[in-house]
Amino acid sequence: MGDLSLITIIIIAVNVIISFKGFNDIVFFEKYKFNIGDIKAGAKYQIFTSGFLHVDTSHLFVNMLTLYFFANVVIYDLGSLGFILVYLASLILGNLLSYFFHKNDLNYSAVGASGAVMGILYSAILLRPDMMLGLFFIIPIPAYVFGIGYLLYTIYGMKKRLGNIGHDAHFGGAVGGFVLTLMLAPWIFEQHLLMVILLAIPILILFVLQKAGKI
């Protein structure tokens, strides 16, 4: 963790400012949230802008807290520019996957930085697969085990449409973090090849299920 870097502070500040603007201005919120009907009508910018809006302060807090925990790991290994690339690419890919799975539901809407934050989380897991995470903040669990388990749960959530959660955006963001990190840090293939293969398994499972029409 350590001290927050300037770029992390800026990203958190942008999320807070835009989210609070959305809390207090319903017209602003509706204009910039992710909505399939609006995007098909030409509001392509929502694929990006929705990643800085949140439903409420709890939603915002959880996303920013997760970002706080893992940002420095990514910045240390990839630098500030690499961190920004992973964050933004994960945000966009997460929303593009949501669009793909919900393109026929014109009323589908979503907001949140979850896709971008999941990208940072999975980037950190790839870079430090041996670090320990606290499941429910209590139970110690290796980062790679959490990564694999969470993606498998996300696939289940997508298939069963569990809760009011953008599982597809989470999954797309994680894939974004996975791919971008491997592109920016190819040394991972040499040092953590087994972890790369293990973390790729849920991605392949989703691809197979989608091709088979099971999800």
Side-chain angles (χ1 to χ4, degrees):
M1 242 175 358
D3 296 329
L4 281 174
S5 70
L6 177 60
I7 189 60
T8 307
I9 293 171
I10 291 172
I11 289 178
I12 290 176
V14 170
N15 272 279
V16 169
I17 292 168
I18 294 177
S19 291
F20 271 86
K21 170 68 174 174
F23 296 158
N24 298 297
D25 187 340
I26 189 62
V27 175
F28 179 87
F29 185 88
E30 291 295 320
K31 180 177 180 180
Y32 293 108
K33 72 179 183 181
F34 179 97
N35 176 264
I36 296 293
D38 289 346
I39 293 170
K40 284 194 169 186
K44 303 294 191 295
Y45 58 82
Q46 291 182 354
I47 292 172
F48 178 76
T49 58
S50 60
F52 296 93
L53 289 167
H54 289 82
V55 173
D56 53 33
T57 53
S58 297
H59 187 206
L60 173 65
F61 176 77
V62 169
N63 275 334
M64 295 304 100
L65 182 64
T66 305
L67 182 64
Y68 164 73
F69 280 133
F70 297 100
N72 278 358
V73 174
V74 179
I75 292 170
Y76 181 84
D77 284 314
L78 301 184
S80 294
L81 179 58
F83 171 82
I84 294 170
L85 288 173
V86 171
Y87 186 92
L88 295 180
S90 299
L91 185 162
I92 293 170
L93 186 57
N95 282 338
L96 286 176
L97 193 66
S98 283
Y99 184 87
F100 176 78
F101 279 105
H102 298 280
K103 58 182 177 292
N104 295 320
D105 182 1
L106 298 182
N107 294 318
Y108 181 83
S109 297
V111 292
S114 300
V117 172
M118 288 303 295
I120 295 300
L121 170 59
Y122 276 81
S123 178
I125 290 173
L126 264 182
L127 293 164
R128 309 281 177 83
D130 55 344
M131 68 178 174
M132 299 298 289
L133 304 181
L135 187 63
F136 305 117
F137 297 101
I138 300 173
I139 306 169
I141 182 172
Y144 73 91
V145 173
F146 172 84
I148 295 166
Y150 188 83
L151 281 188
L152 291 174
Y153 166 75
T154 301
I155 292 174
Y156 179 76
M158 291 168 66
K159 186 175 177 62
K160 298 295 185 180
R161 300 190 181 278
L162 295 178
N164 188 26
I165 300 172
H167 294 288
D168 28 41
H170 291 187
F171 196 98
V175 172
F178 179 85
V179 173
L180 259 293
T181 301
L182 291 177
M183 292 173 62
L184 295 170
W187 54 264
I188 292 173
F189 286 105
E190 294 183 10
Q191 296 189 18
H192 307 306
L193 180 58
L194 178 59
M195 299 308 164
V196 172
I197 294 171
L198 290 175
L199 286 166
I201 289 174
I203 300 172
L204 294 175
I205 290 174
L206 178 66
F207 178 78
V208 170
L209 288 174
Q210 194 277 323
K211 284 294 183 181
K214 301 294 186 181
I215 193 168

